Amino acid sequence: MTLAPVQHAELSPSDDDLVVAFSRGDERAFAAFYDRTASRVHGLVRRVLVDPAQSEEVVQEVFLAVWQDASRFDPARGTALSWLLVQARRRAIDRVRSSQASRDRDVAVGVRDLDPVRDDVAETAAVRLEHARVTRALGGLSAVQRQALELTYWGGLTHAEAASRAGVPLGTMKTRLRDGLVALRRLVEPAGFAEA
């Protein structure tokens, strides 16, 4: 048994044909084009913008621009869908850039207008007190822990360089550093804030 081919009385027009039709003012062609493509445009714009409200605004702007600029569509340069998606992507990226520029301007104005109140005397006193606490705490470390910290943190040496200078294996130097930092933290932190 063989089946007869299905005869389509009317083939639906391509996206390209729809754009050409609504470039001449055919609103039904535009509505059909919108119905076919709106979800893809919205998905693309939403991935770029993330914000649903801004995404909806940009989708509206894109379709308004497509309606107004339909005569600029050239089927020889690509499909109507790719033309539409390129416009949507560009407009979404423009919105991201515009939002970022606006935030940057707001921050710049805010920073410029900010008159930071500084108490240099209190800041200097706090730094000196912290320095004294750390110096006292270093006195509570073993000689090898203090040497490891001094070589790496204050001397600027890498772990390997500090191990070579101290004449110990790299693993030993790392252990001394870890133990020294744990002990230093215990000695510097206030009693109520030490970790368990």
Side-chain angles (χ1 to χ4, degrees), residues 4-191:
V6 177
Q7 298 282 329
H8 293 287
E10 184 179 313
L11 292 175
S12 61
S14 70
D15 291 342
D16 295 358
D17 295 336
L18 290 174
V19 173
V20 170
F22 72 74
S23 72
R24 292 187 224 121
D26 185 346
E27 292 178 9
R28 289 187 350 192
F30 180 77
F33 184 72
Y34 178 87
D35 290 343
R36 283 187 192 176
T37 59
S39 62
R40 290 183 75 178
V41 170
H42 189 267
L44 171 67
V45 170
R46 181 72 189 267
R47 277 192 304 273
V48 173
L49 290 177
V50 180
D51 179 16
Q54 281 197 26
S55 298
E56 290 173 9
E57 279 182 35
V58 169
V59 169
Q60 285 182 342
E61 292 171 7
V62 167
F63 279 103
L64 178 62
V66 164
W67 170 258
Q68 293 171 339
D69 298 335
S71 61
R72 298 173 77 196
F73 169 67
D74 181 7
R77 295 183 62 195
T79 66
L81 183 61
S82 63
W83 174 69
L84 172 68
L85 293 177
V86 165
Q87 289 191 44
R89 182 176 179 277
R90 286 180 181 163
R91 196 162 293 250
I93 290 171
D94 287 347
R95 178 65 64 99
V96 168
R97 289 178 179 154
S98 173
S99 295
Q100 183 62 46
S102 176
R103 279 192 299 273
D104 291 348
R105 278 191 304 276
D106 291 346
V107 168
V109 167
V111 168
R112 184 190 68 214
D113 293 344
L114 178 66
D115 186 19
V117 177
R118 290 183 34 180
D119 185 355
D120 290 334
V121 174
E123 189 175 321
T124 302
V127 168
R128 285 185 181 161
L129 287 172
E130 188 68 22
H131 178 72
R133 282 178 57 205
V134 171
T135 302
R136 276 194 311 274
L138 281 172
L141 298 178
S142 70
V144 293
Q145 291 172 339
R146 188 171 39 259
Q147 177 194 34
L149 291 172
E150 287 173 350
L151 289 173
T152 55
Y153 289 96
W154 289 280
L157 300 178
T158 66
H159 293 176
E161 292 168 340
S164 175
R165 175 100 35 105
V168 296
L170 178 60
T172 302
M173 179 55 68
K174 288 182 178 182
T175 300
R176 289 178 181 176
L177 283 167
R178 181 182 48 86
D179 292 346
L181 288 173
V182 169
L184 188 62
R185 180 185 305 150
R186 207 171 320 125
L187 294 168
V188 170
E189 284 183 341

